[in-house]
Amino acid sequence: MRSTNFRPVAAAFGAALLMAGCASSTGPQYYSLAESAAPARTPVAAVGTTPAFIELAPIAMPERFTRPQMVVRKKGTPESPAVDILEDHRWSSSFESELRDALGSSIASRLGAVDVTKTGRQRGQPATRIAVQLGQFDAVEGSRVDASFTWTVRRTDEGPATGCKLSLSEPVGSGFDALAQGAQRVTAKLADAIAGSVSALKANSTSPCAA
């Protein structure tokens, strides 16, 4: 009897382990907007000089993007107003936080600056304040990422804010990995443009938005 009862129990236990193994292999795929490698650029700040400071405000964006799930245009009907909110393909944090973190580190890297967005700055310590607004971010699987941004840069110790804008269309391959990589490239190009406007403002350029 012991031998007869053992087999069904063992079989059931083995099936449970198999199901547990399958369950553990499924779940959302997470993506980051941060650059996978440091950009091959020479920082603006020279070695040995006092670093500049930047302060990036929370990114203003439409409510539909304030979530970790990817929001994409319907495949096959990219011109339709309908979108898909993908539960199985997510940013590693809310899209607003992901974009802000990626931009802050990328802009600071390009300028050789210190990002005091989260650490704060000492009283009397001048910084360049950056405010970004996302106007469009349309991701179409296997096609492109269309994005538009406006931003202002202002020295905390003087002068009014200077406004700039940028529109991009980044082609992407098939699959959601390619879509996330396209979004990374859009973010990197935005960081290039904002860093350029901060440098131009510092140099008292008459055209700080000519990136």
Side-chain angles (χ1 to χ4, degrees):
M1 291 294 293
R2 290 180 182 177
S3 177
T4 302
N5 291 337
F6 177 78
R7 289 178 181 175
V9 172
F13 183 70
L17 285 178
L18 181 61
M19 292 178 65
C22 292
S24 64
S25 64
T26 61
Q29 176 70 48
Y30 293 95
Y31 302 92
S32 173
L33 284 175
E35 293 176 287
S36 54
R41 300 172 178 85
T42 302
V44 172
V47 175
T49 63
T50 302
F53 297 91
I54 62 169
E55 187 174 354
L56 182 61
I59 309 294
M61 63 177 58
E63 185 68 24
R64 67 181 180 276
F65 293 117
T66 58
R67 64 182 76 238
Q69 296 93 333
M70 276 190 175
V71 179
V72 302
R73 289 289 179 187
K74 288 280 188 180
K75 188 176 182 180
T77 57
E79 306 308 321
S80 169
V83 297
D84 283 326
I85 298 174
L86 306 178
E87 293 294 337
D88 291 334
H89 300 277
R90 304 185 180 196
W91 303 108
S92 60
S93 59
S94 71
F95 184 65
E96 187 277 333
S97 296
E98 189 70 30
L99 181 57
R100 186 184 185 189
D101 289 347
L103 274 181
S105 60
S106 295
I107 294 168
S109 174
R110 285 154 171 75
L111 295 171
V114 175
D115 180 9
V116 296
T117 300
K118 295 181 178 180
T119 61
R121 56 191 175 87
Q122 298 178 356
R123 179 177 296 180
Q125 183 183 70
T128 300
R129 189 167 293 165
I130 304 165
V132 179
Q133 180 170 1
L134 182 151
Q136 176 192 16
F137 200 92
D138 290 333
V140 184
E141 184 190 355
S143 181
R144 65 189 187 275
V145 176
D146 295 331
S148 65
F149 303 89
T150 58
W151 69 92
T152 59
V153 290
R154 181 173 69 86
R155 295 175 182 169
T156 55
D157 57 347
E158 62 179 72
T162 298
C164 305
K165 62 181 179 179
L166 178 69
S167 294
L168 298 166
S169 185
E170 187 69 23
V172 300
S174 62
F176 293 106
D177 283 7
L179 203 62
Q181 290 165 357
Q184 280 184 336
R185 294 193 296 273
V186 165
T187 304
K189 290 179 179 179
L190 177 61
D192 284 339
I194 295 176
S197 63
V198 172
S199 296
L201 182 69
K202 185 177 180 180
N204 295 314
S205 171
T206 57
S207 302
C209 296

